[in-house]
Amino acid sequence: MKRNVPELPFTVLDDNGERQTLSLKAIGAYTLIASLDEGRGATFKQLRACKKGGVTVLRSALDELESLGLIYRRIVRDENGRHAGTYYDFCEEPKNE
């Protein structure tokens, strides 16, 4: 699977069976996350700032993608153990546990 290829001004995604069953909102969120710089990840706030849309719609799309193993949620804690952020990372292959 190709993602954000620096030489190309667009993102290329394979058409896997998992993505064929996704809602349009989940496809949009998945494509947005896939187009980010590799290894960067994104917080909910950063994703929300990228495009128009309601908080509920974005959260629903992220939950749908996470349930299929297409993205995963990474919780970051500060030096005191407090929640410092939640990052959503792209999975090239579904990771169902």
Side-chain angles (χ1 to χ4, degrees), residues 8-57:
L8 302 175
F10 52 85
T11 301
V12 178
L13 297 172
D14 289 338
D15 191 16
N16 288 7
E18 291 84 10
R19 284 186 280 286
Q20 292 176 2
T21 61
L22 293 175
S23 66
L24 288 175
K25 64 185 174 195
I27 291 170
Y30 185 75
T31 304
L32 175 62
I33 294 168
S35 71
L36 299 174
D37 293 334
E38 194 165 339
R40 186 175 114 188
T43 65
F44 184 84
K45 187 176 181 179
Q46 290 168 328
L47 292 172
R48 175 78 170 84
C50 288
K51 302 289 179 191
K52 290 183 179 180
V55 171
T56 305
V57 170

Side-chain angles (χ1 to χ4, degrees), residues 34-84:
S35 71
L36 299 174
D37 293 334
E38 194 165 339
R40 186 175 114 188
T43 65
F44 184 84
K45 187 176 181 179
Q46 290 168 328
L47 292 172
R48 175 78 170 84
C50 288
K51 302 289 179 191
K52 290 183 179 180
V55 171
T56 305
V57 170
L58 179 57
R59 192 166 311 280
S60 170
L62 294 174
D63 288 345
E64 182 178 345
L65 292 169
E66 191 174 17
S67 72
L68 292 171
L70 295 171
I71 64 169
Y72 65 95
R73 188 182 320 213
R74 182 169 40 100
I75 297 180
V76 178
R77 305 234 176 243
D78 66 13
E79 59 278 352
N80 297 319
R82 291 182 294 209
H83 185 268

